[in-house]
């Protein structure tokens, strides 16, 4: 469950949302949402999963046919999140290799390199497809030992690397402005939109509101402590998010960069920092992006699994076929999302590009509705 929760949401999304929403005040609202809303919804999901021993749709359906739609909504959310998540997973993979092919040569150029990379018509697509193939290889076999072993090594690696990056960042002259940005709230910028973004991010980062934690709850033994498990996941996830903030903002201010840089933030600031590390820079960079890719993978397989489990349980498909067919459709969505950063930037759905469309639709709307439904279900029905 921690592998599912800790992912791009913590290291890629949380810092850039913090930057776009004015820093500390956003973080305080976010923490509030995590503690008050996220923690409770996670307990609810674990409880339903454990009681029914079934994946999302089956769990709802087993209690009442009228509630099946809530499970299906979760499957749709997972499907749409997979419409953009693998694109960023692909960026992480690409950056492992870029670490030794010129990315770190000029610290001031990391922004341009990122912009040129994601806007290119072919290269990011290749990485997205490679990333998807990794997901398919794992999920087609059933969520299995390999990824668990890899994440048991690479997740602590990510943790240690974050600490190294934090220490390096706060040692730079001018970094204290970043700490002030993270810890001294400026409430003047807070709007209703800030609160909605923080709420959406708390669902996204904890993998809530779409039946993922519900499914993981179905693997819990009857004597496991549900609030205790939920607390562990919530604390670990929040710790990694705050660490990612500490890794990025002090360095960002030291380099005189802009906090509002958007989705590129981690891919621009962190390499700039590595390029100040001399000979060890490329090695740390490779490890950092490899660990990030694994963190992403342990999250995206849980997303894909929700879709695949639905096709197996409800549509009676065989696991391999269900994985291939859902991944094929997902890959098409990802291609559109990736191209919306460049060649297809003019194509809009409801006023935004494909990438933003899938992102906004899921985390600001679907996950929150899913979270509300599970709460009503547990509190008033079950
Ligand atoms: N929690 C993951 C992250 O922070 O990267 C993303 C995610 C995974 C969201 C699984 C939802 C989910 F069901």
């Amino acid at each position: 469950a921690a592998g599912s929760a800790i992912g791009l949401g913590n290291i890629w999304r949380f810092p850039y949302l913090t930057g776009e929403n004015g820093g500390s005040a956003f973080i305080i609202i976010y923490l509030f949402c995590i503690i008050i809303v996220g923690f409770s919804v996670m307990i609810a999901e674990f409880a339903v999963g454990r009681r029914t021993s079934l994946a999302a749709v089956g769990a709802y359906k087993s209690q009442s046919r009228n509630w099946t739609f809530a499970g299906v909504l979760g499957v749709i959310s997972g499907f749409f999140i997979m419409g953009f998540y693998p694109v960023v997973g692909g960026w992480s993979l690409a950056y492992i290799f870029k670490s030794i092919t010129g990315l770190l040569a000029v610290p001031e150029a990391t922004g341009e390199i990122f912009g040129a990379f994601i806007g290119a018509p072919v290269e990011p697509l290749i990485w997205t497809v490679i990333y998807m193939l990794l997901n398919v290889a794992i999920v087609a076999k059933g969520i299995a030992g390999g990824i668990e072993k890899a994440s048991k090594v690479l997740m602590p690696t990510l943790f240690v690397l974050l600490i190294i990056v934090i220490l390096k960042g706060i040692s730079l002259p001018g970094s204290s402005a970043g700490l002030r940005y993270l810890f001294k709230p400026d409430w003047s910028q807070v709007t209703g939109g800030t609160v909605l973004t923080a709420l959406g991010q708390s669902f996204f980062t904890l993998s809530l509101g779409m039946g993922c934690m519900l499914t993981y709850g179905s693997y819990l033994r009857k004597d496991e402590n549900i609030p205790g498990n939920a607390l562990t996941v919530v604390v670990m996830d929040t710790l990694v998010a705050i660490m990612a903030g500490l890794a990025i903002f002090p360095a960002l201010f030291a380099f005189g960069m802009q906090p509002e840089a958007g989705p590129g933030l981690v891919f621009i600031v962190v390499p700039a920092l590595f390029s100040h590390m001399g000979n060890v820079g490329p090695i740390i960079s490779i490890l950092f992006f490899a660990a990030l890719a694994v963190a992403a993978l342990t999250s995206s397989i849980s997303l894909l699994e929700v879709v695949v489990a639905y096709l197996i349980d409800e549509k009676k498909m065989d696991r391999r076929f269900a994985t291939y067919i859902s991944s094929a459709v997902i890959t098409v969505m990802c291609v559109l999302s990736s191209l919306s950063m460049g060649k297809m930037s003019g194509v809009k759905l409801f006023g935004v590009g494909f990438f933003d469309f899938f992102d906004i639709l899921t985390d600001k709307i679907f996950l929150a509705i899913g979270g509300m439904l599970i709460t009503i279900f547990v509190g008033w029905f079950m």
Side-chain angles (χ1 to χ4, degrees):
S4 167
I6 300 171
L8 295 170
N10 306 61
I11 292 165
W12 160 71
R13 205 163 189 278
F14 172 74
Y16 97 71
L17 291 180
T18 301
E20 283 181 342
N21 287 281
S24 177
F26 172 80
I27 298 181
I28 294 172
I29 300 169
Y30 164 80
L31 291 175
F32 201 76
C33 294
I34 292 276
I35 296 165
I36 305 292
V37 184
F39 180 49
S40 322
V41 173
M42 188 170 297
I43 291 176
E45 289 207 19
F46 279 169
V48 174
R50 187 170 74 173
R51 169 172 289 193
T52 58
S53 299
L54 290 166
V57 177
Y60 276 111
K61 204 158 107 184
S62 72
Q63 305 297 303
S64 159
R65 290 212 159 249
N66 293 338
W67 278 90
T68 312
F69 79 97
V72 173
L73 185 75
V75 174
I76 297 172
S77 309
F79 184 66
F80 279 135
I81 295 177
M82 284 301 275
F84 69 93
Y85 202 93
V87 175
V88 186
W91 298 348
S92 316
L93 282 182
Y95 267 57
I96 302 174
F97 296 90
K98 288 189 184 294
S99 301
I100 39 172
T101 55
L103 172 66
L104 310 183
V106 186
E108 292 76 24
T110 54
E112 264 165 54
I113 293 177
F114 178 75
F117 166 59
I118 64 162
V122 182
E123 196 191 347
L125 297 187
I126 297 175
W127 289 107
T128 302
V129 170
I130 297 175
Y131 182 83
M132 272 311 293
L133 290 175
L134 293 173
N135 282 272
V136 171
I138 296 164
V139 175
K141 283 209 199 113
I143 300 226
I147 185 74
E148 198 171 338
K149 283 201 197 96
S151 64
K152 276 194 179 139
V153 179
L154 277 160
M155 295 293 253
T157 308
L158 181 66
F159 203 77
V160 173
L161 289 168
L162 277 174
I163 294 176
I164 295 175
V165 178
I166 292 170
L167 293 178
K168 177 73 188 172
I170 54 181
S171 74
L172 296 170
S175 62
S176 56
L179 293 174
R180 269 199 301 282
Y181 184 79
L182 284 175
F183 296 113
K184 226 170 145 238
D186 166 11
W187 296 100
S188 66
Q189 288 195 38
V190 173
T191 61
T194 318
V195 179
L196 186 59
T197 305
L199 183 68
Q201 172 63 8
S202 67
F203 278 100
F204 187 88
T205 192
L206 294 173
S207 307
L208 295 174
M210 50 154 284
C212 179
M213 288 301 172
L214 192 160
T215 307
Y216 281 14
S218 71
Y219 305 135
L220 279 173
R221 281 201 320 267
K222 297 290 177 205
D223 58 353
E224 287 275 358
N225 178 337
I226 289 181
N229 274 294
L231 189 67
T232 310
V233 178
V234 169
V235 168
M236 283 171 69
D237 186 80
T238 306
L239 197 63
V240 174
I242 300 294
M243 285 173 76
L246 282 169
I248 288 178
F249 288 100
L252 177 140
F253 278 87
F255 295 147
M257 294 172 167
Q258 292 305 320
E260 301 87 0
L265 202 61
V266 66
F267 294 95
I268 297 171
V269 178
V270 176
L273 194 66
F274 292 145
S275 65
H276 281 89
M277 287 185 173
N279 288 341
V280 294
I283 299 166
I284 303 221
S285 183
I286 290 172
L287 285 173
F288 180 84
F289 287 108
L292 182 59
V294 171
L297 210 51
T298 55
S299 302
S300 56
I301 56 171
S302 73
L303 284 158
L304 186 55
E305 178 66 16
V306 168
V307 179
V308 169
Y310 167 74
L311 295 176
I312 297 173
D313 294 347
E314 306 297 319
K315 302 288 166 204
K316 306 294 168 229
M317 283 183 196
D318 134 276
R319 173 169 280 277
R320 277 178 192 278
F321 184 68
T323 310
Y324 298 152
I325 189 110
S326 53
S327 300
V329 182
I330 284 169
T331 305
V332 172
M333 298 197 303
C334 288
V335 166
L336 294 173
S337 289
S338 183
L339 290 176
S340 74
M341 304 277 173
K343 276 258 175 299
M344 284 175 60
S345 58
V347 183
K348 306 279 185 208
L349 282 177
F350 299 97
V352 292
F354 282 103
F355 189 104
D356 292 338
F357 176 74
F358 293 137
D359 182 4
I360 295 170
L361 183 70
T362 48
D363 105 302
K364 289 219 172 83
I365 304 173
F366 278 30
L367 296 186
I369 293 177
M372 185 180 73
L373 290 174
I374 186 102
T375 320
I376 296 172
F377 181 75
V378 172
W380 298 92
F381 185 80
M382 200 171 101

